[in-house]
Amino acid sequence: MATISDVARAAGVSPATVSRVLNGGRVSPERAERVRRVASELGFSPNRVARSLRTQQASVIGLLIPDIENPFFTALARGVEDASRRTHLSVVLCNTDEDVEKEARYLDVALAEQMAGVIVAAASPRRSDFSALDARGTPVVAVDRRPGAATVDAVMVDDQRGGDEATAHLLDRGYRRVACVTGPADTAASEERLAGHRAAMRAAGIPDAWIRAHTRHADLRVEGGRTAMAELLTLPEPPDAVLVTHDLLTVGALEALRTAGVEPPAFGVLSFGDVPWASLVRPPLTTVRLPSYDLGVAAATLLQERIAGSTGPRRTVTLRPDLHPRASTSGPTPG
Amino acid sequence: MATISDVARAAGVSPATVSRVLNGGRVSPERAERVRRVASELGFSPNRVARSLRTQQASVIGLLIPDIENPFFTALARGVEDASRRTHLSVVLCNTDEDVEKEARYLDVALAEQMAGVIVAAASPRRSDFSALDARGTPVVAVDRRPGAATVDAVMVDDQRGGDEATAHLLDRGYRRVACVTGPADTAASEERLAGHRAAMRAAGIPDAWIRAHTRHADLRVEGGRTAMAELLTLPEPPDAVLVTHDLLTVGALEALRTAGVEPPAFGVLSFGDVPWASLVRPPLTTVRLPSYDLGVAAATLLQERIAGSTGPRRTVTLRPDLHPRASTSGPTPG
DNA sequence: GTGAAAGCGCTAACAT
DNA sequence: ATGTTAGCGCTTTCAC
């Protein structure tokens, strides 16, 4: 690999001049031209490691996501990438696997590699720790999941509103006994979506006791959704519709419904997450689409501003999910 | 951020000693202990950028994949990560988006960041260019897609065999007129799977003209699969089964079949790729499962060996996909 | 406008 | 076993 000194020697100038040509300093046009020619002849590409060491900052940002196999996060990653494209920033992705240890390791890498900034969907609301980055002045933007203590910029989904709108939609279509299958009580998104569901139910005059009795917390796996749905169907006063707050749970819930011989839209089914196989399910599923891509774009934009030196107060951007009505919630009565 | 000199001063030793403590050189136990204590008190974490500059190699490997939203590649990424866990290597993911330009940019980043090695599913068999990495001695392992010219280690799927086994399975189950919907003619995987299909058909004594007439190349989108399948159904001698070589095409093909009132398993359907929604399709789909995770593990292992200094001849590891028979190919006649 | 020189934080000879 | 020294490739004063 050619270095800046090789180029300088070959072009008959000093290394400083080559550096200036590269970074836009004042150099006479003809020398600049000569340097550029020689550089390309030599296949020179500046060593970013050396540059980082000298300038104390890299042109790479880290994106830490908890599950690379989850389409929600991959779409988010695309958003981050697309928004970073125009700048000189490259995005590197790190899969934390919902594991605070792995996350800490990657945060350490980000620090040690002097990354320009980090966007992170925290593995744990309490135990994720960004203080080291903060101490060094590396900007951090939280996305999708707000870490409890840390005061960082954040981009969030308005999950509560999504849950509220979803259940309101079901009630509006004529369903009366709307159950809810949600994730574990310790995941924020699950709880907020449930809270929205509750709010809509209360607004419709349904007693708290009924709502509670027709709510199930399930493990975020297909099996969890199946079990929860099956339970709900055996209740003394079974539901006539269900809001499922995670698409994985929806797969299980649909299986349980099929097993019980219950069919949408007579039984209303509404799912969070716009699943790629939505078109394969009959009837097509009404969904609350999460703005995953836009979440990424917003986070990258916020981060770029901080990297550029913005020092304003911490900001939280909230994005609204949107409802996509389809046939699975067309109403309890035929026609 | 504390530096190695800060630690050295606070511990009353030389920077070299601190470095030796960190990297396992000979240091007396009590001094080593003192250094470690001081380091953790100061919250010291070594600056990898400086280390990279000095040692001329980083502890990061790059993984370049063409589509982060494709479950095949995300599973592969998990394999790479898991295999890299035990070593000191961190994996950073780069999404090339099937774009040779973006890929080149990331290869440049890998080079400029002095990455220890790169695993890449090439965006283009012809135009992907690893010569710069090669020139610098950075190991490269190709995965899933073999770049035409470059002589690099590679980990591949035996697509031809997969196609062969799939069609053989259909014939074995009693289907006679097996069609094939495959991807564009310029994608290697599509062609190899098709070649396997052809081989199995020929072995069963079916004339080339028939095979050719019942083969469709489709754009890798749902719509492409639908159109191709619809065409096949209108042929004078329509097929009684189909091998679809990409899961996205399968979604479309299933829609076309449903529209035409044709149902598996009377009509046999076999798909490449073990789709997550397989359980939702009735009847469950027989699939050729691609060893995506293992592909990642194998690639990471190969790369680690090269990073460790192995200089043997280029190797190509080939992994076999496996057939998962399910109800969609249980046979053309009831029972 | 240009070059000489210093130094970012670390490691690896080379001394001792 | 430990310290001293030099230098990885780059940028950035500081002179001129």
Side-chain angles (χ1 to χ4, degrees), chain A residues 210-264:
Chain A
W210 194 96
I211 304 174
R212 243 195 320 278
H214 293 76
T215 296
R216 286 293 177 281
H217 290 274
D219 268 5
L220 287 181
R221 286 175 289 113
V222 172
E223 188 48 37
R226 178 170 22 227
T227 310
M229 190 71 243
E231 275 180 37
L232 287 169
L233 290 173
T234 63
L235 251 32
E237 194 181 3
D240 64 355
V242 66
L243 167 64
V244 190
T245 67
H246 290 272
D247 47 17
L248 225 47
L249 296 179
T250 303
V251 175
L254 286 172
E255 289 178 12
L257 288 172
R258 179 146 36 201
T259 303
V262 177
E263 291 276 329

Side-chain angles (χ1 to χ4, degrees), chain B residues 227-279:
Chain B
T227 311
M229 190 70 245
E231 274 180 37
L232 288 169
L233 290 173
T234 63
L235 250 33
E237 193 181 2
D240 64 357
V242 66
L243 167 65
V244 191
T245 66
H246 291 272
D247 48 17
L248 225 47
L249 296 178
T250 303
V251 175
L254 286 172
E255 289 179 12
L257 288 172
R258 177 144 38 200
T259 304
V262 176
E263 291 276 331
F267 187 100
V269 178
L270 202 161
S271 171
F272 263 74
D274 209 5
V275 294
W277 38 265
S279 76

Side-chain angles (χ1 to χ4, degrees), chain A residues 17-192:
Chain A
T17 300
V18 178
S19 173
R20 283 191 267 261
V21 170
L22 262 47
N23 301 295
R26 304 188 188 299
V27 184
S28 75
E30 59 270 28
R31 307 193 113 196
E33 186 42 42
R34 188 162 80 242
V35 167
R36 259 187 278 274
R37 216 197 52 240
V38 171
S40 89
E41 272 168 15
L42 265 50
F44 169 76
S45 137
N47 182 327
R48 286 204 207 194
V49 174
R51 173 181 287 170
S52 291
L53 180 59
R54 178 62 230 233
T55 63
Q56 304 287 16
Q57 67 152 15
S59 52
V60 170
I61 67 174
L63 172 57
L64 277 60
I65 58 178
D67 180 9
I68 196 191
E69 300 199 42
N70 183 334
F72 173 78
F73 289 114
T74 55
L76 190 156
R78 296 288 307 257
V80 171
E81 278 205 340
D82 287 354
S84 303
R85 180 100 28 99
R86 75 200 72 178
T87 71
H88 61 295
L89 295 171
S90 305
V91 180
V92 300
L93 221 77
C94 311
N95 182 35
T96 65
D97 213 11
E98 302 279 10
D99 176 344
V100 181
E101 306 281 326
K102 284 182 76 174
E103 182 177 87
R105 267 242 308 278
Y106 278 119
L107 287 171
D108 227 51
V109 171
L111 196 66
E113 299 276 355
Q114 317 269 80
M115 288 187 187
V118 171
I119 296 173
V120 53
S124 158
R126 279 179 301 281
R127 301 189 298 125
S128 291
D129 177 17
F130 311 128
S131 54
L133 279 296
D134 213 48
R136 197 187 162 276
T138 302
V140 175
V141 174
V143 65
D144 184 49
R145 302 164 176 203
R146 180 196 306 285
T151 55
V152 294
D153 289 313
V155 183
M156 296 291 143
V157 176
D158 193 342
D159 280 307
Q160 173 152 2
R161 177 167 202 131
D164 190 327
E165 284 186 357
T167 294
H169 166 81
L170 284 165
L171 293 167
D172 185 55
R173 288 300 168 93
Y175 301 101
R176 281 292 155 261
R177 304 184 304 281
V178 182
C180 181
V181 174
T182 192
D186 61 355
T187 59
S190 297
E191 282 305 278
E192 293 192 10

Side-chain angles (χ1 to χ4, degrees), chain B residues 3-4 19 23 47 51 54:
Chain B
T3 74
I4 209 172
S19 173
N23 301 296
N47 182 329
R51 174 181 288 168
R54 177 61 231 238

Side-chain angles (χ1 to χ4, degrees), chain B residues 37-202:
Chain B
R37 218 197 49 239
V38 171
S40 89
E41 272 169 15
L42 266 49
F44 169 77
S45 137
N47 182 329
R48 287 205 205 195
V49 175
R51 174 181 288 168
S52 292
L53 180 59
R54 177 61 231 238
T55 61
Q56 302 288 20
Q57 70 152 14
S59 52
V60 169
I61 66 173
L63 171 58
L64 277 60
I65 58 179
D67 181 8
I68 195 191
E69 301 200 40
N70 183 333
F72 172 78
F73 289 114
T74 55
L76 189 155
R78 294 289 306 257
V80 171
E81 277 205 341
D82 287 353
S84 302
R85 181 102 26 100
R86 75 199 71 176
T87 71
H88 61 295
L89 296 171
S90 305
V91 180
V92 301
L93 222 78
C94 310
N95 181 35
T96 65
D97 212 11
E98 301 280 9
D99 176 344
V100 181
E101 307 281 325
K102 283 183 76 175
E103 182 177 87
R105 266 240 311 277
Y106 278 119
L107 286 171
D108 227 51
V109 170
L111 196 66
E113 299 277 355
Q114 317 269 83
M115 288 186 186
V118 172
I119 296 173
V120 54
S124 159
R126 279 178 302 280
R127 302 190 296 126
S128 291
D129 178 18
F130 311 127
S131 54
L133 279 295
D134 213 48
R136 195 186 163 279
T138 302
V140 175
V141 173
V143 65
D144 184 49
R145 302 166 177 202
R146 181 194 307 283
T151 56
V152 293
D153 289 312
V155 183
M156 296 290 143
V157 176
D158 194 342
D159 280 306
Q160 173 152 359
R161 177 166 202 132
D164 190 327
E165 283 185 358
T167 295
H169 166 81
L170 284 165
L171 293 166
D172 184 55
R173 288 300 167 93
Y175 301 100
R176 281 292 155 261
R177 306 183 304 280
V178 182
C180 181
V181 174
T182 191
D186 60 356
T187 59
S190 297
E191 282 305 277
E192 292 191 12
R193 292 168 192 176
L194 173 58
H197 164 75
R198 272 209 209 95
M201 293 291 276
R202 282 200 197 112

